[in-house]
Amino acid sequence: MWCLERLIPLLLIISDANSQWNIWVPRDISAMANSCVVIPCSFMYPPGIRPARGVHGIWYFGQPYPQLFPPVVFKSLTDVVHESFKGRTKLLGDLNQRNCTLLIGNLGTEHSGRYYFRADIGGANKYSYPDFAELKVLVQPNIDIPEEIVSDNSLELTCYVPDNCPDMTPEIQWIYTDYLPDPEFSSDFIEESNTAVLSNTLRFTPRPMHNSQLLGCRVIYPNTTLVYERIISLDVKYPPRSVWVNVSSEVMEGSSVTLHCEVDSNPSPRIAWLFGEQELLWDTATNISLSMDDITPEQEGVYTCVGDNSFGIMNTSLYLTVKYPPREPIVNDSITVVEGTSLALHCNTMGNPTPTLTWLKDGELAGSITAGQLSVLDILEVTPQQTGQYRCLVENEHGRASASLNITVEYAPVFLEESKCTVVREGVQCVCVAVGNPEPTIEFYLPDLNITINETDNRFNFYTHSDGHTSTAMIKLREKGERTDNSGPAVNVLCNIYNTYGKENVLLELQQEKKYMMAVIVGTIGGVAVIAFIIAAVRYVGQNNKKENGNPRQEVVLENPALYYSAVKKDKQNLRKKVREDGDFQPVGSMAGKEKQELNYAALEFIGARPSGGASGRGDDGSNYTEIKAK
Ligand SMILES: *[C@@H]1O[C@H](CO)[C@@H](O)[C@H](O)[C@H]1NC(C)=O
Ligand SMILES: *[C@@H]1O[C@H](CO)[C@@H](O)[C@H](O)[C@H]1NC(C)=O
Ligand SMILES: *[C@@H]1O[C@H](CO)[C@@H](O)[C@H](O)[C@H]1NC(C)=O
Ligand SMILES: *[C@@H]1O[C@H](CO)[C@@H](O)[C@H](O)[C@H]1NC(C)=O
Ligand SMILES: *[C@@H]1O[C@H](CO)[C@@H](O)[C@H](O)[C@H]1NC(C)=O
Ligand SMILES: *[C@@H]1O[C@H](CO)[C@@H](O)[C@H](O)[C@H]1NC(C)=O
Ligand SMILES: *[C@@H]1O[C@H](CO)[C@@H](O)[C@H](O)[C@H]1NC(C)=O
Ligand SMILES: *[C@@H]1O[C@H](CO)[C@@H](O)[C@H](O)[C@H]1NC(C)=O
Ligand SMILES: *[C@@H]1O[C@H](CO)[C@@H](O)[C@H](O)[C@H]1NC(C)=O
């Protein structure tokens, strides 16, 4: 059947080219090794030539010219052919019919080449046609593969096998197709230029997983043992279909970390590590490793690996957590405030995991424990007792740190219970003790004499010292002579205390039996005994290493403790009450107690002081002071 179809163009060519030396053979023809091939052939010679002894012909291999001695494939006059064609060739056409069709059987690859026909019409009418048929002897079928196979796009693969051997008809099978999803097969028969090709087309939609899979076309000739196969490996292009990165991880500050990324794509992607928006590293590869040394908390965040090939782009992220101990907190500067002020103390830190922040006042918990970066300690209406060192302690599982500030509260002076007048051997000693910040200034006022005694007025015997915020002052009133008048009023001593924030006064009253008539001795320092007393006092102070304020201080052993008497005329209840109003003044009690132990009364007697006029007069008026001597 195929022969007839093949003839139609051939006849046209012949009619066009009549009256001349002409040949028609297929320019290219192929056949499978070990099968056969029929080379269809028709030729023309000028019509004027009359063949004498019939038409003869020769098929040459490689060259058309006899003088070059090409291998003879077939010769109609004799059976002499080249070794390699012996027993393999047969002229199927009738040369008298100008049909030079040739059969070559049992083909080997050595038979690939050009085949030329030479006609011998008789006499000198011999002609080598320059046109030739080029035979290809194949050992494998051909597979037509698209230049690019893209996943998820329908794919057609066609396997071709020549079908130019009339006795043997090939069959095409696709092999290794088990894994293919819904493969479709369709066979076709193509005739072109008088040669035939059998084909089979495989249709399917490749997936990324089919990349690198083998696929084959097998050709068999039924009832023979001939088998030909061509195996191909599919190169399926696909966009990144997975981007693998480490799971989110945690590292310690200062350590090293390596983040891996692997991308599955074909072709290999441009693979890159990004930190936020910033590209840190890239390569054209299937995997990439980002190594970081000496990690800092700033490197905590989202790391994204992006895989990008021309078919698509994909990314996966991880979160890198950087752990670190809390930083030394930042707290407010030390401050001095006035009682009643409200404060907010800030403590700022950073740490991972979230640190806990604790405010301590002098080592004791103050406020609540918070977790985060900021802790604010609110102190509403600060009280004197809130003076102290405030430390903010921050800690997490990796460490701790702290910072502190000092708060100093300034407040109006307050009397302490120690304020009292005591009977001593030669008179009465009055002590006034007060706390306040700044330290209170103390002065005594003797209303009966209209005399104010303070530290600057050195006409009087006044002793004071200050220890922190506690001020202590003392005067000693000396008894002068024997009193017989027992109707006189008790000695009155007023103690005034003041600082920037307020002033107070209290009457230290000593009610006494008449024989303890008091005298105030005022005047300048005089007398050897007094000087010795001062020296003793200074030494004592030196040993005690106590702060002195103003005049030297001396410990005076109360000469008759049983008789001491303290009278705070404003009454103790009142004092306590005031103290309590200042906001749970309990520590004052302890302060007071402490002070009691440490109180060192400085006392100097001023003997032989010159009387002052007014005072003297009063003394004569029957006051308790029999004499006031002044310098
Ligand atoms: C030439 O001979 C072959 C073999 O006999 C035949 O199949 C073919 O049809 C002939 N060609 C022409 C043009 O007659
Ligand atoms: C192969 O041989 C069997 C019998 O052995 C025959 O029936 C069949 O037609 C043959 N097939 C071909 C293609 O020659
Ligand atoms: C990431 O994964 C790779 C390979 O599994 C491993 O070697 C590396 O230590 C991992 N990195 C982190 C930070 O977990
Ligand atoms: C990473 O890529 C390199 C080439 O770039 C390759 O040799 C290596 O096998 C890959 N590693 C993995 C785990 O895929
Ligand atoms: C990662 O992919 C998502 C969409 O899948 C996109 O919105 C995002 O911008 C990508 N991130 C990066 C860093 O490319
Ligand atoms: C402590 O510092 C914070 C912030 O710097 C500030 O808002 C606050 O007022 C400060 N507190 C005091 C008592 O100074
Ligand atoms: C707070 O006062 C103490 C002494 O009372 C001192 O040692 C410390 O340095 C002070 N702290 C600050 C922050 O001023
Ligand atoms: C007290 O003495 C001062 C002068 O030292 C005088 O001005 C004042 O009036 C006196 N007061 C009384 C109540 O005597
Ligand atoms: C002591 O008292 C006198 C007057 O009585 C006064 O002028 C002086 O300022 C006072 N000194 C102090 C330190 O209070």
Side-chain angles (χ1 to χ4, degrees):
M1 281 301 112
W2 55 272
C3 294
L4 280 179
E5 289 170 86
R6 211 176 283 176
L7 279 178
I8 295 158
L10 180 62
L11 289 172
L12 291 173
I13 292 163
I14 290 166
S15 61
D16 281 354
N18 63 359
S19 318
Q20 293 303 324
W21 294 101
N22 259 317
I23 191 167
W24 187 92
V25 286
R27 174 67 179 73
D28 292 294
I29 188 162
S30 47
M32 300 310 292
N34 300 315
S35 75
C36 73
V37 68
V38 170
I39 303 173
C41 176
S42 297
F43 63 98
M44 297 290 289
Y45 51 88
I49 299 172
R50 292 277 166 256
R53 293 166 288 110
V55 179
H56 287 278
I58 304 175
W59 278 96
Y60 287 122
F61 179 74
Q63 295 282 343
Y65 308 110
Q67 56 271 35
L68 296 174
F69 303 107
V72 174
V73 175
F74 174 83
K75 192 168 184 178
S76 61
L77 270 176
T78 67
D79 286 341
V80 180
V81 296
H82 187 268
E83 267 307 294
S84 62
F85 293 101
K86 208 167 255 178
R88 298 174 197 256
T89 54
K90 186 182 172 191
L91 193 73
L92 297 183
D94 180 354
L95 293 177
N96 292 310
Q97 301 292 314
R98 298 185 292 269
N99 186 335
C100 49
T101 300
L102 177 71
L103 167 76
I104 311 171
N106 196 17
L107 286 168
T109 51
E110 71 275 16
H111 298 124
S112 293
R114 293 174 179 185
Y115 289 81
Y116 294 88
F117 183 68
R118 179 176 172 87
D120 175 5
I121 316 296
N125 296 313
K126 293 178 177 147
Y127 185 77
S128 283
Y129 295 93
D131 294 338
F132 58 86
E134 178 149 16
L135 174 66
K136 283 194 185 102
V137 178
L138 309 176
V139 295
Q140 289 187 315
N142 281 323
I143 298 179
D144 207 359
I145 309 168
E147 237 170 60
E148 190 171 84
I149 300 174
V150 181
S151 74
D152 306 318
N153 290 348
S154 176
L155 171 66
E156 282 188 10
L157 296 176
T158 305
C159 181
Y160 296 95
V161 62
D163 185 12
N164 297 313
C165 179
D167 300 336
M168 300 166 72
T169 303
E171 281 180 15
I172 299 176
Q173 300 165 353
W174 286 94
I175 53 174
Y176 309 138
T177 58
D178 294 350
Y179 61 85
L180 294 185
D182 308 321
E184 289 172 25
F185 304 96
S186 61
S187 57
D188 199 4
F189 182 81
I190 308 151
E191 265 200 70
E192 207 180 295
S193 307
N194 232 357
T195 64
V197 169
L198 188 66
S199 69
N200 194 300
T201 298
L202 164 65
R203 256 183 225 90
F204 71 102
T205 302
R207 304 296 177 196
M209 63 181 201
H210 298 136
N211 183 41
S212 302
Q213 291 270 23
L214 296 181
L215 197 57
C217 173
R218 172 184 288 164
V219 170
I220 58 161
Y221 289 95
N223 294 342
T224 72
T225 56
L226 299 179
V227 178
Y228 309 85
E229 280 181 3
R230 168 160 284 199
I231 310 294
I232 59 166
S233 167
L234 289 175
D235 180 18
V236 181
K237 308 292 187 195
Y238 56 92
R241 64 171 172 149
S242 76
V243 175
W244 181 91
V245 298
N246 291 82
V247 291
S248 295
S249 54
E250 297 182 352
V251 290
M252 270 308 290
E253 175 181 36
S255 65
S256 300
V257 70
T258 299
L259 303 179
H260 286 283
C261 177
E262 277 178 46
V263 175
D264 178 7
S265 77
N266 184 24
S268 284
R270 180 188 189 280
I271 186 171
W273 270 114
L274 277 70
F275 177 52
E277 299 282 298
Q278 183 197 356
E279 187 172 287
L280 302 176
L281 188 66
W282 75 272
D283 195 3
T284 301
T286 58
N287 63 71
I288 192 168
S289 292
L290 175 65
S291 291
M292 295 181 287
D293 293 327
D294 198 10
I295 289 285
T296 65
E298 290 68 44
Q299 286 170 297
E300 169 161 336
V302 176
Y303 288 80
T304 304
C305 180
V306 181
D308 185 1
N309 67 8
S310 50
F311 297 92
I313 182 165
M314 193 179 197
N315 69 59
T316 304
S317 296
L318 65 82
Y319 192 88
L320 184 68
T321 303
V322 180
K323 304 283 189 183
Y324 59 101
R327 300 291 184 239
E328 184 178 308
I330 297 166
V331 298
N332 294 81
D333 292 334
S334 292
I335 44 167
T336 297
V337 292
V338 181
E339 178 179 26
T341 311
S342 290
L343 297 175
L345 302 183
H346 286 232
C347 175
N348 271 295
T349 189
M350 299 221 286
N352 197 349
T354 306
T356 56
L357 296 85
T358 309
W359 275 105
L360 302 171
K361 175 186 177 291
D362 298 325
E364 306 269 314
L365 183 65
S368 56
I369 299 171
T370 51
Q373 298 198 338
L374 172 68
S375 175
V376 178
L377 179 65
D378 282 311
I379 302 176
L380 298 176
E381 296 183 10
V382 67
T383 63
Q385 290 65 52
Q386 283 167 317
T387 291
Q389 191 177 50
Y390 288 76
R391 179 168 293 277
C392 179
L393 176 67
V394 296
E395 48 194 333
N396 68 13
E397 63 200 68
H398 302 294
R400 54 160 63 185
S402 74
S404 67
L405 72 148
N406 290 339
I407 290 183
T408 307
V409 181
E410 297 196 326
Y411 54 99
V414 178
F415 281 103
L416 297 187
E417 288 180 48
E418 287 79 4
S419 304
K420 64 201 168 196
C421 288
T422 311
V423 174
V424 294
R425 187 191 293 165
E426 288 202 304
V428 169
Q429 179 177 270
C430 289
V431 173
C432 188
V433 187
V435 292
N437 189 11
E439 61 189 36
T441 303
I442 304 179
E443 61 186 27
F444 291 101
Y445 177 62
L446 307 180
D448 301 325
L449 301 175
N450 191 17
I451 295 172
T452 297
I453 305 166
N454 67 14
E455 67 183 299
T456 55
D457 189 348
N458 59 11
R459 287 181 303 149
F460 302 104
N461 302 315
F462 178 85
Y463 314 101
T464 182
H465 86 281
S466 186
D467 182 7
H469 300 147
T470 306
S471 294
T472 306
M474 173 186 272
I475 52 171
K476 192 161 186 182
L477 310 176
R478 194 175 175 207
E479 183 182 21
K480 171 89 188 284
E482 198 77 14
R483 280 290 300 248
T484 52
D485 176 5
N486 62 0
S487 64
V491 60
N492 285 324
V493 178
L494 262 175
C495 180
N496 294 328
I497 55 176
Y498 57 89
N499 68 9
T500 328
Y501 301 106
K503 71 192 300 173
E504 282 288 330
N505 62 73
V506 66
L507 179 63
L508 306 172
E509 194 179 11
L510 179 67
Q511 287 174 335
Q512 194 66 35
E513 288 182 26
K514 292 178 190 77
K515 70 171 188 171
Y516 290 104
M517 288 300 146
M518 293 297 118
V520 165
I521 309 301
V522 292
T524 54
I525 297 169
V528 174
V530 169
I531 290 169
F533 193 40
I534 291 171
I535 292 166
V538 169
R539 279 200 187 134
Y540 177 82
V541 166
Q543 281 164 13
N544 263 11
N545 199 22
K546 289 256 182 179
K547 182 189 170 196
E548 279 298 325
N549 193 358
N551 293 322
R553 176 171 54 84
Q554 177 202 11
E555 179 170 45
V556 169
V557 177
L558 298 184
E559 286 141 317
N560 193 352
L563 291 174
Y564 89 91
Y565 187 81
S566 168
V568 177
K569 199 170 193 182
K570 280 184 150 184
D571 93 40
K572 290 180 183 176
Q573 294 302 74
N574 239 359
L575 174 59
R576 285 204 197 92
K577 186 160 171 261
K578 176 181 173 21
V579 161
R580 291 226 173 81
E581 278 165 3
D582 285 343
D584 196 8
F585 216 90
Q586 193 271 327
V588 162
S590 69
M591 196 187 289
K594 185 176 163 213
E595 194 62 37
K596 197 171 209 162
Q597 289 175 344
E598 292 179 357
L599 269 184
N600 296 310
Y601 303 121
L604 287 175
E605 295 182 55
F606 290 76
I607 299 163
R610 175 171 55 96
S612 86
S616 179
R618 260 177 206 281
D620 291 340
D621 285 349
S623 80
N624 294 330
Y625 310 104
T626 53
E627 184 181 336
I628 295 172
K629 287 183 178 171
K631 200 178 189 176

